[in-house]
């Protein structure tokens, strides 16, 4: 049962523009959400997280938005840079739990 | 480098052999998690360990797979009598074990290929 879904397998964006990655979840118990970035042949790197008590968290060029009623979160990257080309995974968990449930990932390609 | 370390990075085994994957957590982390990623899929939780204790192995296949995290040394994920379907990337993560939100940091993974 896929509790975290990233419905867009890929995204192509021009350098300097905004990248918007979407993620939906089905388990209403999830209250902590994370985004990881992964380059080929490397492990996922933690990018940014958000707790369900917030609806927005910002860190430099990265902002995560959480809409609890819609069970939806998104990651905005502004401006997109060539080094942002990678696979981005959305993950969710219950904060007193430890299992991360991952989406299948979205491959972002930033065009020069 | 104080990050999560995994070795080997690549492992090739023939069907029926054993595979041993090692993970050293980040300095100061006492909680270790193993995840498996099949091609074109997200990571799937396998097992959660603390020193000398398996806390949750609900994501691990009941047969052929085992994990340990001894008092000294790295955590080991062991797969006996490997089959082709075991071919995947295996990632280890570690965390501080904080109450509440506890970010997991991942190693580079071990890519297991079963011939």
């Amino acid at each position: 049962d896929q509790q975290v879904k990233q419905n867009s397998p890929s995204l192509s964006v021009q350098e300097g523009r905004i990248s918007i990655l979407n993620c939906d979840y089905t388990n209403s118990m999830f209250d902590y959400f994370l985004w990881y970035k992964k380059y080929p042949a490397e492990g996922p790197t933690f990018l940014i997280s958000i707790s369900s008590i917030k609806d927005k968290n910002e860190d430099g060029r990265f902002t995560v938005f959480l809409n609890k009623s819609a069970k939806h979160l998104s990651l905005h990257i502004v401006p997109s840079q060539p080094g942002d080309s990678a696979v981005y995974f959305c993950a969710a968990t219950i904060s007193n739990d430890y299992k991360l449930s991952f989406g299948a990932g979205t491959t972002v390609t930033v065009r020069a | 480098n104080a990050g999560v370390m995994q070795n080997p990075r690549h492992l090739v085994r023939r069907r029926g052999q054993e595979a041993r994957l090692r993970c050293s957590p980040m300095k100061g982390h006492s909680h270790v998690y193993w995840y498996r990623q099949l091609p074109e899929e997200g990571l799937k939780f396998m097992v959660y360990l603390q020193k000398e204790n398996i806390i949750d192995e609900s994501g691990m296949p009941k047969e052929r797979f085992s994990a340990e995290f001894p008092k000294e040394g790295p955590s080991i994920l062991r797969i006996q009598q490997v089959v082709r379907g075991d071919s995947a990337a295996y990632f280890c993560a570690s965390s501080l074990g904080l109450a509440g939100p506890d970010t997991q940091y991942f190693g580079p993974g071990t890519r297991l290929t079963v011939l």
Side-chain angles (χ1 to χ4, degrees):
Chain A
D1 177 29
Q2 192 71 12
Q3 298 187 78
V4 178
K5 295 179 183 176
Q6 294 177 255
N7 291 320
S8 297
S10 62
L11 171 70
S12 180
V13 64
Q14 190 139 24
E15 183 178 359
R17 298 289 188 104
I18 184 171
S19 293
I20 300 177
L21 291 79
N22 293 304
C23 177
D24 297 293
Y25 60 96
T26 57
N27 188 342
S28 57
M29 298 292 291
F30 287 149
D31 61 1
Y32 187 55
F33 305 89
L34 309 92
W35 285 93
Y36 286 86
K37 175 181 177 179
K38 186 181 178 302
Y39 292 118
E42 294 186 12
T45 302
F46 170 70
L47 203 55
I48 192 169
S49 63
I50 188 166
S51 167
S52 61
I53 61 173
K54 293 185 169 184
D55 54 20
K56 177 183 174 181
N57 189 24
E58 194 171 349
D59 184 2
R61 296 185 297 115
F62 303 92
T63 304
V64 55
F65 296 92
L66 176 62
N67 182 334
K68 289 185 289 294
S69 60
K71 295 194 183 71
H72 176 84
L73 63 155
S74 61
L75 175 68
H76 291 209
I77 308 173
V78 181
S80 300
Q81 299 174 353
D84 296 331
S85 295
V87 179
Y88 289 79
F89 290 99
C90 170
T93 188
I94 303 168
S95 55
N96 287 326
D97 196 356
Y98 38 80
K99 296 177 197 175
L100 291 176
S101 294
F102 281 85
T106 297
T107 300
V108 171
T109 303
V110 179
R111 308 185 309 271
Chain B
N1 185 347
V4 179
M5 312 228 343
Q6 288 188 251
N7 68 82
R9 295 291 306 273
H10 300 274
L11 183 61
V12 178
R13 286 286 178 266
R14 296 191 180 279
R15 280 179 296 170
Q17 291 184 320
E18 178 180 289
R20 281 188 176 230
L21 289 63
R22 293 175 187 77
C23 168
S24 296
M26 280 179 73
K27 190 175 181 180
H29 287 191
S30 58
H31 295 234
V32 165
Y33 316 81
W34 286 92
Y35 291 80
R36 176 165 67 175
Q37 184 186 21
L38 295 171
E40 310 302 323
E41 294 187 12
L43 284 71
K44 298 282 196 301
F45 169 81
M46 298 181 73
V47 61
Y48 163 41
L49 310 103
Q50 297 176 22
K51 284 283 187 183
E52 300 185 279
N53 279 308
I54 297 174
I55 307 302
D56 183 344
E57 56 184 348
S58 60
M60 207 149 66
K62 296 282 185 282
E63 297 178 355
R64 303 186 298 106
F65 285 71
S66 62
E68 62 176 10
F69 189 15
K71 188 176 179 182
E72 301 290 336
S75 175
I76 307 265
L77 179 67
R78 184 179 173 207
I79 311 172
Q80 295 179 292
Q81 299 174 313
V82 296
V83 301
R84 290 235 172 94
D86 297 332
S87 294
Y90 292 83
F91 293 98
C92 168
S94 71
S95 74
L96 286 168
L98 300 172
D102 185 29
T103 301
Q104 296 177 22
Y105 296 87
F106 285 81
T110 293
R111 276 140 194 89
L112 173 66
T113 302
V114 179
L115 301 177

